[in-house]
Amino acid sequence: VRLTELDAVEAVRGEGTVWGIHCASIGNLSASEVANEIVRACYVGDEQGRAIHLMGPLAQCVLRVAPPLIMSLAEARESMEAMYNIIANVSSNCSRS
């Protein structure tokens, strides 16, 4: 999974359309703090106005993802790309802290 390439992501697990992103600690930030920052950043969205609503963090560091079952493959790809870029930005910002 491409998300695991990012410093902020320890693991991605799940089944079907429900899965979780287990956040990692970065620098002086705990995994819980990183998870909260990712939730905030995804809610705000990217420069193109694409926002992602994440459920979480569960157990303080696992973000739950449950996309709509009616989402097209193109929409899913676009959302995943936006989420990857947003989390990459959070990873980069947290690493500099």
Side-chain angles (χ1 to χ4, degrees):
V1 173
R2 189 170 164 220
L3 286 173
T4 58
E5 298 169 358
L6 302 172
D7 290 342
V9 178
E10 184 174 312
V12 176
R13 301 185 282 277
E15 293 182 5
T17 61
V18 178
W19 42 285
I21 301 169
H22 189 146
C23 297
S25 58
I26 301 176
N28 294 331
L29 297 178
S30 69
S32 176
E33 291 168 321
V34 171
N36 285 324
E37 182 56 27
I38 290 171
V39 169
R40 186 203 62 75
C42 284
Y43 180 79
V44 170
D46 64 11
E47 309 80 37
Q48 298 173 16
R50 300 177 300 179
I52 308 292
H53 176 76
L54 298 173
M55 297 180 291
L58 179 68
Q60 299 183 356
C61 60
V62 178
L63 307 177
R64 294 167 288 164
V65 181
L69 294 175
I70 59 169
M71 180 180 258
S72 71
L73 184 55
E75 290 170 319
R77 284 187 176 134
E78 182 176 355
S79 293
M80 284 301 300
E81 184 66 27
M83 185 186 323
Y84 178 89
N85 291 334
I86 291 167
I87 295 174
N89 191 40
V90 169
S91 292
S92 177
N93 290 341
C94 290
S95 294
R96 286 186 241 140
S97 298

